[in-house]
Amino acid sequence: MDDDGRYRDSRSDFVRGAKDIAKVAKKQVGKKIGRGADKMADEYTKRSYKRFEEEDDDDDYAAAPSNDGGYYRNDSRANDDEGHSDSTEGHDEDDEIYEGEYQGIPRAESGKAGTVDGGTAAQAQQFRDLSAYESERRKDQEELAQQYETILQECGHGRFQWTLYFVLGLALMADGVEIFVVGFVLPSAEKDMCLSEPNKGMLGLIVYLGMMVGAFVWGGLADRIGRRQTLLISLSINSVFAFFSSFVQGYISFLFCRLASGVGIGGSIPIVFSYYSEFLAQEKRGEHLSWLCMFWMIGGIYASAMAWAIIPHYGWSFQMGSAYQFHSWRVFVLVCAFPAVAAICALTTMPESPRFYLENGKHDEAWMILKQVHDTNMRAKGYPERVFSVTTIKTVKQMDELVDLGDGASWHLKWRTKLTTLFHQVWSNFQAVFSPEYRRTTYMMMAVWFSMSFSYYGLTVWFPDMIKYLQKQEYSSRTKVFVKERVEHVTFNFTLENQVHRQGQYFNDKFMNLRMKSMVFEDSLFEECFFEDITSSNTFFKNCTFIATLFYNTDLFKYRLINSKLINSTFLHNKEGCLLSDISDDNNAYMVYFVSFLGTLAVLPGNIVSALLMDKIGRLRMLAGSSVISCISCFFLSFGNSESAMIALLCLFGGISIASWNALDVLTVELYPSDKRTTAFGFLNALCKLAAVLGISIFTSFVGITKAVPILFASGALAVGSFLALKLPETRGQVLQ
């Protein structure tokens, strides 16, 4: 028995010793495999850089040779796989591997994860220094930028980019429409909603405030949940509330709908430019982003044309009792939502940005999209047999931000946790824009964006107000004055306009079925007169006396009778309506739309010039040069003493300054890395809208007072902007960070 016991003890010791040896061997093998994977990854990176430096021809699609599993297939592999361009062919049910995916050297992160003990890796990740992690992530981003540029050159520029160009152009067109909607409907909406001057001013500014909030929110979200998804959400909000705003009746509800509509469309500019830039190679980026800016001009032309065609047709309306009215201007608001709806429908057919996927560690999704871009362009160019040779793309190292709530957590707790985490991610990304690495660039860009927006939006709103002021001055110069006239037994059944009657006497006169426009009666006597079916605007009776006078179905309310006496006079069936400062006739309405149409169309030459020269002279020269010329053109405003002169100056300023905006958009896209691009662009665009509100408020306050202050403000802001623009780094010829 003792021998058996000793035998069992010896056997147990032997088994334990063997297990210990196996564990040590397993750890040593894991370390060797990890070092081998790191070495292979370094060799892969070197080959990536070497291929990027040696590739000169954009149309050279021949596959580069690789050494035992590089990220490009060799020639023999391409010949063996002839006719197999789709990534889903060659599917292996056992291994679940696609033919087009990289199958040679495992990626460094996957190799380590498969060999190192899970608990040890988690513990090492937990105690890793944050600065080392950021340094490693930055290195990954630099390697990805170089390789991504090479891949875009292989994919070429063709049908896919042009399709995306028109799809995103619709979203940018919707933004251009939104700027003009409220300005076009105000003259008609004030009649339906009885808007005072402060209410009209608030309605004009609320769109900019909504776009300011939307640009910041959607720009931050686009860097976290994706460009395409965020753009779809923002355009949907814009479409829904634009639709509701055409039907609501009250001022507060209409104001809220336009605010929400502005919040929705606010995300279009920062997302559209960032989204499109991530499908463009460096030699195409500046030119095609400038071409994309033309859709903002098309949006303004669309809004002007629709307003011209719809709003003056007052017959396009219906009424349900006295509470609900749907006039032609509401049809115009509804039609203006069409570009956003069309953009949503078209955007559902387009993929997410592959650069966004790669920045977030989604290799396979990005590879599939880039392959789609390549195959679409090659088929359109007549080379369907060319195979997408990329097999592995560098992805950026991700930080584990998962929160385990357990299986028993309620749905609202999960959603609250998700939203809280998303908020912290967006806020952290926004703070990174002001990190030491980007702080100087951000402050300089803030100054340039603010100065450009302050002067541009301030002047573009000041121009129409000055035109209206000049029209009023010219109208007042034609005012007819009648003094001490005596009129008896006369029937007035025609329009009375732009007249002043002082110390007149009217006995047994009838005013029937007529309009009174800009009529003033001072110190006059009306005895036994009859007013029936009168519609008036800017008409007042000052220090007048009414004796035995009847007012039937008129809008001559008592607040139009200033310091006047009523003796045995009666008001019957007064019209319901608002006190309007003026009634714009059809000719004035057409003039407003025509001026806006000309001002928008005038930016076409500037768009063409900036697109053709953007990649030739550089972004900074384009931005600074256009700003200087715009600054000089501001001094010509002092010569704008007529309506035609102001229209010409408006077209001149718009045509010159558009080149600055195009260069600024391209520069903003290229100065920030992909994981912060829409966040920075959204913040700067929000600052732009804030500057627009300030510029509009300040410039319009000097209408009719002086031209010197707006001219000095605009020229000074443009001069500062052009000077600071030269201090920014040039991004022409650089890969997208």
Side-chain angles (χ1 to χ4, degrees):
M1 295 296 293
D2 294 338
D3 294 339
D4 294 339
R6 285 194 297 270
Y7 172 75
R8 285 193 297 270
D9 294 338
S10 300
R11 184 179 179 183
S12 299
D13 293 339
F14 175 77
V15 172
R16 284 195 297 271
K19 289 183 177 180
D20 293 338
I21 293 173
K23 289 182 179 179
V24 173
K26 181 179 179 181
K27 291 182 179 179
Q28 294 298 326
V29 171
K31 292 180 180 179
K32 290 182 179 180
I33 292 177
R35 286 195 296 269
D38 290 337
K39 183 178 181 181
M40 293 174 184
D42 293 338
E43 292 177 357
Y44 150 73
T45 302
K46 292 179 181 179
R47 289 194 299 271
S48 300
Y49 279 117
K50 183 177 181 181
R51 185 186 185 279
F52 176 75
E53 293 172 355
E54 293 177 352
E55 182 171 347
D56 296 326
D57 189 0
D58 181 50
D59 295 326
D60 184 10
Y61 295 95
S66 60
N67 297 326
D68 193 20
Y71 76 89
Y72 280 88
R73 299 172 181 158
N74 56 28
D75 294 335
S76 61
R77 173 70 180 271
N79 293 332
D80 293 341
D81 294 338
E82 182 178 0
H84 297 275
S85 178
D86 295 332
S87 62
T88 55
E89 295 183 12
H91 184 270
D92 193 324
E93 296 181 354
D94 297 330
D95 297 330
E96 295 292 333
I97 296 178
Y98 291 104
E99 174 200 3
E101 290 186 340
Y102 171 68
Q103 302 174 18
I105 301 174
R107 280 173 282 178
E109 51 267 31
S110 62
K112 293 177 182 178
T115 57
V116 182
D117 182 75
T120 305
Q123 187 176 7
Q125 178 69 23
Q126 181 178 0
F127 293 101
R128 177 179 296 180
D129 182 58
L130 183 59
S131 61
Y133 164 78
E134 290 294 339
S135 177
E136 190 173 357
R137 179 178 171 85
R138 188 177 298 109
K139 181 180 179 182
D140 290 344
Q141 289 175 330
E142 293 173 356
E143 295 177 4
L144 171 60
Q146 300 290 344
Q147 185 188 359
Y148 192 77
E149 180 64 32
T150 305
I151 295 173
L152 286 180
Q153 290 179 358
E154 176 172 345
C155 291
H157 188 93
R159 176 178 294 175
F160 183 90
Q161 281 84 358
W162 283 112
T163 303
L164 185 63
Y165 169 81
F166 287 104
V167 171
L168 296 180
L170 289 172
L172 201 59
M173 180 179 171
D175 181 271
V177 170
E178 190 74 19
I179 294 292
F180 291 93
V181 169
V182 173
F184 287 157
V185 303
L186 267 181
S188 300
E190 67 170 330
K191 304 173 188 177
D192 289 355
M193 300 181 183
C194 298
L195 301 182
S196 61
E197 289 299 326
N199 287 342
K200 288 192 292 184
M202 176 56 67
L203 193 56
L205 295 178
I206 200 67
V207 176
Y208 290 96
L209 296 177
M211 296 174 76
M212 178 180 67
V213 175
F216 183 79
V217 172
W218 302 122
L221 286 176
D223 276 331
R224 301 306 307 173
I225 65 176
R227 283 84 161 105
R228 176 179 175 273
Q229 182 176 353
T230 307
L231 186 58
L232 282 172
I233 296 173
S234 64
L235 289 175
S236 299
I237 292 176
N238 170 256
S239 302
V240 169
F241 285 97
F243 176 80
F244 286 153
S245 66
S246 66
F247 293 95
V248 296
Q249 295 294 300
Y251 167 73
I252 298 299
S253 56
F254 184 76
L255 189 71
F256 172 77
C257 286
R258 296 317 303 181
L259 173 65
S261 177
V263 171
I265 202 61
S268 63
I269 288 182
I271 298 176
V272 162
F273 283 101
S274 301
Y275 189 8
Y276 192 48
S277 68
E278 292 168 357
F279 286 92
L280 298 173
Q282 65 180 31
E283 67 272 9
K284 301 285 187 180
R285 193 181 309 125
E287 176 185 351
H288 287 271
L289 286 177
S290 298
W291 289 127
L292 185 64
C293 294
M294 293 188 65
F295 277 93
W296 197 92
M297 174 200 71
I298 295 173
I301 294 175
Y302 173 83
S304 302
M306 291 299 101
W308 196 337
I310 296 174
I311 294 180
H313 293 276
Y314 302 109
W316 296 7
S317 62
F318 64 89
Q319 185 171 343
M320 299 174 62
S322 59
Y324 189 85
Q325 298 176 349
F326 192 90
H327 292 150
S328 57
W329 68 268
R330 297 182 181 275
V331 179
F332 167 72
V333 173
L334 190 62
V335 169
C336 285
F338 288 171
V341 175
I344 293 172
C345 297
L347 194 60
T348 55
T349 64
M350 304 307 296
E352 179 58 84
S353 166
R355 185 65 177 268
F356 169 78
Y357 278 148
L358 293 171
E359 292 284 347
N360 289 272
K362 298 181 179 180
H363 171 273
D364 296 342
E365 292 88 340
W367 186 91
M368 293 288 289
I369 294 171
L370 288 171
K371 182 181 183 301
Q372 176 187 351
V373 176
H374 174 274
D375 293 348
T376 301
N377 290 339
M378 292 303 103
R379 284 195 297 266
K381 292 179 179 180
Y383 304 107
E385 72 281 358
R386 287 184 176 173
V387 179
F388 186 49
S389 59
V390 178
T391 55
T392 299
I393 310 173
K394 184 69 178 178
T395 56
V396 179
K397 188 175 293 297
Q398 303 298 304
M399 178 180 289
D400 186 10
E401 298 176 339
L402 296 178
V403 179
D404 186 11
L405 299 177
D407 297 334
S410 59
W411 66 269
H412 58 84
L413 178 61
K414 293 181 180 179
W415 273 102
R416 186 175 65 182
T417 304
K418 288 181 180 179
L419 293 177
T420 303
T421 303
L422 181 61
F423 171 78
H424 287 301
Q425 291 173 344
V426 172
W427 183 248
S428 176
N429 214 26
F430 171 70
Q431 290 178 317
V433 175
F434 291 92
S435 63
E437 183 179 0
Y438 303 104
R439 184 178 299 155
R440 180 181 180 277
T441 298
T442 300
Y443 285 142
M444 298 286 285
M445 290 295 289
M446 287 174 61
V448 175
W449 271 90
F450 188 91
S451 61
M452 285 284 299
S453 180
F454 179 81
S455 58
Y456 177 80
Y457 285 100
L459 283 180
T460 52
V461 175
W462 180 76
F463 273 119
D465 286 351
M466 277 298 300
I467 292 175
K468 291 179 182 178
Y469 173 75
L470 293 174
Q471 288 176 340
K472 289 181 179 179
Q473 290 292 100
E474 194 271 337
Y475 186 78
S476 299
S477 66
R478 295 186 283 108
T479 301
K480 296 180 181 179
V481 180
F482 301 89
V483 181
K484 295 182 179 180
E485 62 177 352
R486 181 179 179 85
V487 182
E488 299 180 0
H489 309 292
V490 175
T491 299
F492 297 89
N493 56 3
F494 48 86
T495 299
L496 300 176
E497 180 179 2
N498 198 19
Q499 299 176 7
V500 176
H501 297 262
R502 297 190 180 115
Q503 301 176 3
Q505 296 182 11
Y506 303 90
F507 179 75
N508 196 20
D509 295 320
K510 296 181 180 181
F511 300 83
M512 303 176 63
N513 302 318
L514 59 84
R515 297 176 63 183
M516 291 184 175
K517 300 173 60 178
S518 300
M519 294 291 297
V520 177
F521 295 88
E522 298 178 354
D523 304 314
S524 299
L525 172 65
F526 295 86
E527 185 175 356
E528 297 183 8
C529 292
F530 181 67
F531 293 84
E532 180 182 1
D533 196 13
I534 306 296
T535 301
S536 62
S537 65
N538 200 29
T539 297
F540 299 96
F541 297 84
K542 301 177 181 179
N543 301 318
C544 296
T545 301
F546 296 89
I547 301 174
T549 299
L550 175 64
F551 298 87
Y552 182 85
N553 191 29
T554 71
D555 61 0
L556 300 177
F557 309 122
K558 291 185 178 181
Y559 47 72
R560 295 192 183 274
L561 311 180
I562 302 174
N563 297 326
S564 298
K565 296 180 181 179
L566 295 171
I567 302 174
N568 296 329
S569 298
T570 306
F571 290 85
L572 297 176
H573 301 287
N574 289 337
K575 290 184 177 181
E576 296 182 0
C578 313
L579 176 61
L580 303 179
S581 59
D582 192 10
I583 293 181
S584 299
D585 56 19
D586 293 349
N587 293 330
N588 287 336
Y590 282 125
M591 176 58 69
V592 172
Y593 310 143
F594 181 67
V595 169
S596 299
F597 178 83
L598 285 181
T600 307
L601 189 62
V603 306
L604 178 61
N607 262 320
I608 296 175
V609 171
S610 64
L612 296 178
L613 298 181
M614 187 69 70
D615 288 321
K616 292 181 173 60
I617 67 175
R619 288 76 163 121
L620 296 187
R621 291 181 180 178
M622 179 68 69
L623 175 57
S626 177
S627 298
V628 169
I629 299 175
S630 299
C631 177
I632 296 174
S633 69
C634 288
F635 290 99
F636 290 99
L637 298 177
S638 57
F639 301 103
N641 296 320
S642 64
E643 183 179 341
S644 57
M646 293 302 296
I647 294 175
L649 290 172
L650 170 64
C651 295
L652 175 65
F653 180 77
I656 296 174
S657 59
I658 192 63
S660 299
W661 284 110
N662 293 356
L664 192 58
D665 290 334
V666 176
L667 195 64
T668 305
V669 165
E670 296 177 336
L671 279 177
Y672 292 94
S674 294
D675 61 335
K676 302 175 182 64
R677 182 167 296 124
T678 57
T679 300
F681 206 139
F683 166 69
L684 293 173
N685 198 255
L687 182 67
C688 163
K689 296 305 185 289
L690 176 62
V693 172
L694 294 176
I696 292 171
S697 302
I698 293 174
F699 280 47
T700 54
S701 63
F702 290 98
V703 173
I705 300 176
T706 179
K707 293 181 182 179
V709 175
I711 292 174
L712 291 176
F713 277 176
S715 58
L718 289 170
V720 171
S722 60
F723 173 77
L724 294 176
L726 293 175
K727 303 296 183 180
L728 291 167
E730 178 60 76
T731 58
R732 179 180 55 156
Q734 297 182 7
V735 297
L736 202 61
Q737 294 187 43

